[in-house]
Tab-separated table of all heavy atoms in Angstrom:
chain	number	residue	atom	x	y	z
A	1416	LYS	N	7.811	6.473	14.132
A	1416	LYS	CA	8.606	7.774	14.211
A	1416	LYS	C	9.744	7.706	13.206
A	1416	LYS	O	9.977	8.511	12.341
A	1416	LYS	CB	9.066	8.024	15.629
A	1416	LYS	CG	9.392	9.433	15.880
A	1416	LYS	CD	9.494	9.666	17.428
A	1416	LYS	CE	10.495	10.758	17.703
A	1416	LYS	NZ	11.024	10.656	19.095
A	1417	ARG	N	10.608	6.673	13.385
A	1417	ARG	CA	11.759	6.599	12.493
A	1417	ARG	C	12.141	5.218	12.005
A	1417	ARG	O	12.967	5.073	11.110
A	1417	ARG	CB	13.028	7.097	13.155
A	1417	ARG	CG	12.774	7.539	14.592
A	1417	ARG	CD	13.915	8.219	15.145
A	1417	ARG	NE	13.857	8.171	16.604
A	1417	ARG	CZ	14.244	9.087	17.449
A	1417	ARG	NH1	14.626	10.230	16.878
A	1417	ARG	NH2	14.177	8.920	18.655
A	1418	ALA	N	11.533	4.170	12.522
A	1418	ALA	CA	11.916	2.766	12.147
A	1418	ALA	C	10.787	1.839	12.474
A	1418	ALA	O	9.922	2.094	13.206
A	1418	ALA	CB	13.168	2.441	12.898
A	1420	GLN	N	10.162	-1.705	14.094
A	1420	GLN	CA	10.854	-2.568	14.953
A	1420	GLN	C	9.940	-3.790	15.228
A	1420	GLN	O	8.764	-3.729	15.510
A	1420	GLN	CB	11.008	-1.910	16.360
A	1420	GLN	CG	11.846	-2.801	17.255
A	1420	GLN	CD	12.220	-2.050	18.529
A	1420	GLN	OE1	11.408	-1.631	19.304
A	1420	GLN	NE2	13.511	-1.883	18.721
A	1425	ALA	N	13.109	-7.424	18.645
A	1425	ALA	CA	13.486	-5.961	18.439
A	1425	ALA	C	14.420	-5.773	17.252
A	1425	ALA	O	15.192	-4.821	17.263
A	1425	ALA	CB	14.007	-5.425	19.740
A	1426	TRP	N	14.510	-6.632	16.287
A	1426	TRP	CA	15.214	-6.317	15.063
A	1426	TRP	C	14.568	-4.998	14.532
A	1426	TRP	O	13.350	-4.889	14.505
A	1426	TRP	CB	15.204	-7.414	14.028
A	1426	TRP	CG	16.163	-8.543	14.233
A	1426	TRP	CD1	16.618	-8.958	15.459
A	1426	TRP	CD2	16.876	-9.267	13.260
A	1426	TRP	NE1	17.520	-9.983	15.318
A	1426	TRP	CE2	17.656	-10.150	13.906
A	1426	TRP	CE3	16.929	-9.252	11.819
A	1426	TRP	CZ2	18.515	-11.042	13.266
A	1426	TRP	CZ3	17.681	-10.144	11.111
A	1426	TRP	CH2	18.578	-11.057	11.871
A	1427	THR	N	15.378	-4.071	14.165
A	1427	THR	CA	14.922	-2.706	13.809
A	1427	THR	C	15.331	-2.363	12.440
A	1427	THR	O	16.522	-2.525	12.164
A	1427	THR	CB	15.406	-1.749	14.913
A	1427	THR	OG1	14.958	-2.183	16.169
A	1427	THR	CG2	14.823	-0.317	14.643
A	1435	ILE	N	18.795	-1.880	10.933
A	1435	ILE	CA	19.767	-0.840	11.471
A	1435	ILE	C	20.148	-1.174	12.946
A	1435	ILE	O	21.124	-0.676	13.414
A	1435	ILE	CB	19.206	0.613	11.486
A	1435	ILE	CG1	17.725	0.561	11.931
A	1435	ILE	CG2	19.326	1.260	10.068
A	1435	ILE	CD1	17.172	1.970	12.185
A	1436	ALA	N	19.377	-2.028	13.602
A	1436	ALA	CA	19.773	-2.433	14.992
A	1436	ALA	C	19.139	-3.687	15.303
A	1436	ALA	O	18.074	-4.092	14.823
A	1436	ALA	CB	19.362	-1.262	15.928
A	1437	ALA	N	19.839	-4.392	16.193
A	1437	ALA	CA	19.266	-5.633	16.769
A	1437	ALA	C	20.062	-5.998	18.006
A	1437	ALA	O	21.246	-5.607	18.012
A	1437	ALA	CB	19.308	-6.803	15.710
A	1438	PRO	N	19.578	-6.643	18.941
A	1438	PRO	CA	20.339	-7.025	20.046
A	1438	PRO	C	21.525	-7.860	19.537
A	1438	PRO	O	21.390	-8.746	18.774
A	1438	PRO	CB	19.436	-7.928	21.056
A	1438	PRO	CG	18.034	-7.427	20.589
A	1438	PRO	CD	18.107	-7.114	19.104
A	1439	ASN	N	22.752	-7.520	20.113
A	1439	ASN	CA	24.015	-8.203	19.764
A	1439	ASN	C	24.435	-8.110	18.283
A	1439	ASN	O	25.212	-8.879	17.830
A	1439	ASN	CB	23.889	-9.741	20.100
A	1439	ASN	CG	23.318	-10.051	21.454
A	1439	ASN	OD1	22.275	-10.640	21.566
A	1439	ASN	ND2	23.972	-9.488	22.488
A	1440	LEU	N	23.824	-7.155	17.576
A	1440	LEU	CA	24.145	-7.036	16.155
A	1440	LEU	C	25.578	-6.812	15.861
A	1440	LEU	O	26.183	-7.334	14.929
A	1440	LEU	CB	23.323	-5.928	15.517
A	1440	LEU	CG	23.395	-5.802	13.947
A	1440	LEU	CD1	22.931	-7.102	13.268
A	1440	LEU	CD2	22.566	-4.600	13.427
A	1441	THR	N	26.261	-6.001	16.800
A	1441	THR	CA	27.723	-5.761	16.553
A	1441	THR	C	28.552	-7.068	16.687
A	1441	THR	O	29.709	-7.063	16.243
A	1441	THR	CB	28.207	-4.596	17.447
A	1441	THR	OG1	27.919	-5.023	18.837
A	1441	THR	CG2	27.524	-3.332	17.167
A	1442	LYS	N	27.996	-7.995	17.302
A	1442	LYS	CA	28.673	-9.333	17.411
A	1442	LYS	C	28.585	-10.125	16.212
A	1442	LYS	O	29.143	-11.260	16.134
A	1442	LYS	CB	28.155	-10.162	18.634
A	1442	LYS	CG	28.201	-9.420	19.929
A	1442	LYS	CD	29.600	-9.217	20.484
A	1442	LYS	CE	29.570	-8.689	21.963
A	1442	LYS	NZ	28.709	-7.540	22.231
A	1448	ARG	N	23.515	-5.749	6.428
A	1448	ARG	CA	22.321	-5.004	6.849
A	1448	ARG	C	21.279	-4.769	5.783
A	1448	ARG	O	20.163	-4.578	6.064
A	1448	ARG	CB	22.745	-3.792	7.519
A	1448	ARG	CG	23.501	-3.970	8.827
A	1448	ARG	CD	23.907	-2.714	9.484
A	1448	ARG	NE	24.490	-2.988	10.799
A	1448	ARG	CZ	24.465	-2.217	11.820
A	1448	ARG	NH1	23.763	-1.108	11.838
A	1448	ARG	NH2	25.072	-2.566	12.938
B	796	ARG	N	31.822	4.610	15.362
B	796	ARG	CA	31.973	3.538	16.417
B	796	ARG	C	33.403	3.126	16.460
B	796	ARG	O	33.967	2.698	15.361
B	796	ARG	CB	31.125	2.383	16.056
B	796	ARG	CG	31.104	1.263	17.000
B	796	ARG	CD	30.037	0.190	16.661
B	796	ARG	NE	30.010	-0.956	17.649
B	796	ARG	CZ	30.760	-1.994	17.543
B	796	ARG	NH1	31.603	-2.110	16.549
B	796	ARG	NH2	30.662	-2.921	18.517
B	818	ASP	N	29.683	2.572	23.639
B	818	ASP	CA	28.822	2.391	22.504
B	818	ASP	C	27.590	1.410	22.858
B	818	ASP	O	26.564	1.393	22.330
B	818	ASP	CB	29.445	1.765	21.273
B	818	ASP	CG	28.609	1.552	20.123
B	818	ASP	OD1	27.980	2.616	19.685
B	818	ASP	OD2	28.546	0.486	19.583
B	823	GLN	N	20.661	-3.506	27.187
B	823	GLN	CA	20.868	-4.732	26.414
B	823	GLN	C	21.978	-4.453	25.466
B	823	GLN	O	22.372	-3.280	25.223
B	823	GLN	CB	19.597	-5.202	25.722
B	823	GLN	CG	19.598	-6.733	25.292
B	823	GLN	CD	18.436	-7.071	24.421
B	823	GLN	OE1	17.558	-6.216	24.225
B	823	GLN	NE2	18.400	-8.262	24.065
B	824	ASP	N	22.480	-5.511	24.794
B	824	ASP	CA	23.546	-5.314	23.847
B	824	ASP	C	23.093	-4.656	22.562
B	824	ASP	O	22.776	-5.268	21.523
B	824	ASP	CB	24.313	-6.615	23.575
B	824	ASP	CG	25.397	-6.479	22.629
B	824	ASP	OD1	25.833	-5.317	22.333
B	824	ASP	OD2	25.820	-7.526	22.098
B	825	ALA	N	22.971	-3.285	22.543
B	825	ALA	CA	22.685	-2.576	21.344
B	825	ALA	C	23.707	-1.520	21.134
B	825	ALA	O	24.243	-1.029	22.046
B	825	ALA	CB	21.218	-1.867	21.510
B	826	SER	N	23.998	-1.222	19.858
B	826	SER	CA	25.006	-0.224	19.531
B	826	SER	C	24.437	1.175	19.470
B	826	SER	O	23.540	1.484	18.613
B	826	SER	CB	25.617	-0.674	18.210
B	826	SER	OG	26.489	0.397	17.749
B	829	ASP	N	24.200	3.301	16.358
B	829	ASP	CA	23.093	3.080	15.390
B	829	ASP	C	21.841	3.797	15.920
B	829	ASP	O	20.786	3.679	15.293
B	829	ASP	CB	22.754	1.576	15.372
B	829	ASP	CG	23.861	0.876	14.572
B	829	ASP	OD1	24.505	1.457	13.733
B	829	ASP	OD2	23.992	-0.446	14.820
B	831	TRP	N	19.622	7.348	17.646
B	831	TRP	CA	19.163	8.577	17.066
B	831	TRP	C	19.674	9.691	17.961
B	831	TRP	O	19.378	9.807	19.119
B	831	TRP	CB	17.623	8.566	17.002
B	831	TRP	CG	17.213	7.659	15.864
B	831	TRP	CD1	17.257	7.950	14.520
B	831	TRP	CD2	16.701	6.338	15.925
B	831	TRP	NE1	16.877	6.865	13.747
B	831	TRP	CE2	16.571	5.862	14.623
B	831	TRP	CE3	16.452	5.455	17.034
B	831	TRP	CZ2	16.000	4.566	14.329
B	831	TRP	CZ3	15.976	4.176	16.747
B	831	TRP	CH2	15.779	3.738	15.406
B	833	GLU	N	19.722	13.370	19.120
B	833	GLU	CA	18.847	14.575	19.190
B	833	GLU	C	19.437	15.475	20.164
B	833	GLU	O	19.490	15.212	21.372
B	833	GLU	CB	17.418	14.181	19.465
B	833	GLU	CG	16.489	14.399	18.290
B	833	GLU	CD	15.122	13.912	18.451
B	833	GLU	OE1	14.480	14.163	19.570
B	833	GLU	OE2	14.547	13.189	17.614
B	838	GLU	N	19.425	8.414	21.563
B	838	GLU	CA	18.344	7.465	21.933
B	838	GLU	C	18.685	6.105	21.387
B	838	GLU	O	19.104	5.883	20.197
B	838	GLU	CB	17.029	7.903	21.160
B	838	GLU	CG	15.830	7.018	21.572
B	838	GLU	CD	14.560	7.408	20.873
B	838	GLU	OE1	14.223	8.562	20.766
B	838	GLU	OE2	13.814	6.479	20.338
B	840	PRO	N	18.545	2.578	19.794
B	840	PRO	CA	17.655	2.115	18.736
B	840	PRO	C	16.728	0.932	19.121
B	840	PRO	O	15.787	0.630	18.442
B	840	PRO	CB	18.633	1.688	17.641
B	840	PRO	CG	19.890	1.315	18.358
B	840	PRO	CD	19.903	2.262	19.605
B	841	LEU	N	17.077	0.236	20.219
B	841	LEU	CA	16.230	-0.857	20.526
B	841	LEU	C	14.990	-0.535	21.457
B	841	LEU	O	13.897	-0.938	21.108
B	841	LEU	CB	17.055	-2.018	21.201
B	841	LEU	CG	17.986	-2.712	20.243
B	841	LEU	CD1	18.520	-3.969	20.822
B	841	LEU	CD2	17.286	-3.023	18.931
B	842	HIS	N	15.212	0.085	22.643
B	842	HIS	CA	14.060	0.228	23.426
B	842	HIS	C	13.883	1.726	23.925
B	842	HIS	O	13.248	2.027	24.860
B	842	HIS	CB	14.086	-0.685	24.705
B	842	HIS	CG	14.416	-2.058	24.328
B	842	HIS	ND1	15.554	-2.719	24.593
B	842	HIS	CD2	13.633	-3.017	23.691
B	842	HIS	CE1	15.629	-3.935	24.154
B	842	HIS	NE2	14.429	-4.225	23.563
B	889	VAL	N	27.229	-9.144	28.659
B	889	VAL	CA	28.233	-8.537	27.906
B	889	VAL	C	29.353	-8.224	28.782
B	889	VAL	O	29.118	-7.463	29.786
B	889	VAL	CB	27.718	-7.257	27.104
B	889	VAL	CG1	28.900	-6.684	26.292
B	889	VAL	CG2	26.602	-7.638	26.223
B	893	THR	N	35.269	-9.838	25.739
B	893	THR	CA	34.521	-10.866	24.951
B	893	THR	C	34.262	-10.517	23.525
B	893	THR	O	33.653	-11.262	22.836
B	893	THR	CB	33.235	-11.252	25.650
B	893	THR	OG1	32.397	-10.104	25.651
B	893	THR	CG2	33.423	-11.789	27.126
B	894	VAL	N	34.751	-9.340	23.122
B	894	VAL	CA	34.422	-8.945	21.747
B	894	VAL	C	35.164	-9.788	20.742
B	894	VAL	O	36.342	-9.987	20.923
B	894	VAL	CB	34.807	-7.485	21.560
B	894	VAL	CG1	34.461	-7.101	20.151
B	894	VAL	CG2	34.065	-6.608	22.524
Side-chain angles (χ1 to χ4, degrees):
Chain A
K1416 203 165 149 205
R1417 3 189 203 217
Q1420 186 170 65
W1426 279 34
T1427 304
I1435 47 169
N1439 314 118
L1440 187 60
T1441 55
K1442 307 287 192 310
R1448 294 178 175 213
Chain B
R796 182 173 183 274
D818 182 54
Q823 198 187 359
D824 180 13
S826 169
D829 288 333
W831 288 282
E833 249 173 46
E838 183 184 316
L841 289 193
H842 312 108
V889 178
T893 59
V894 178

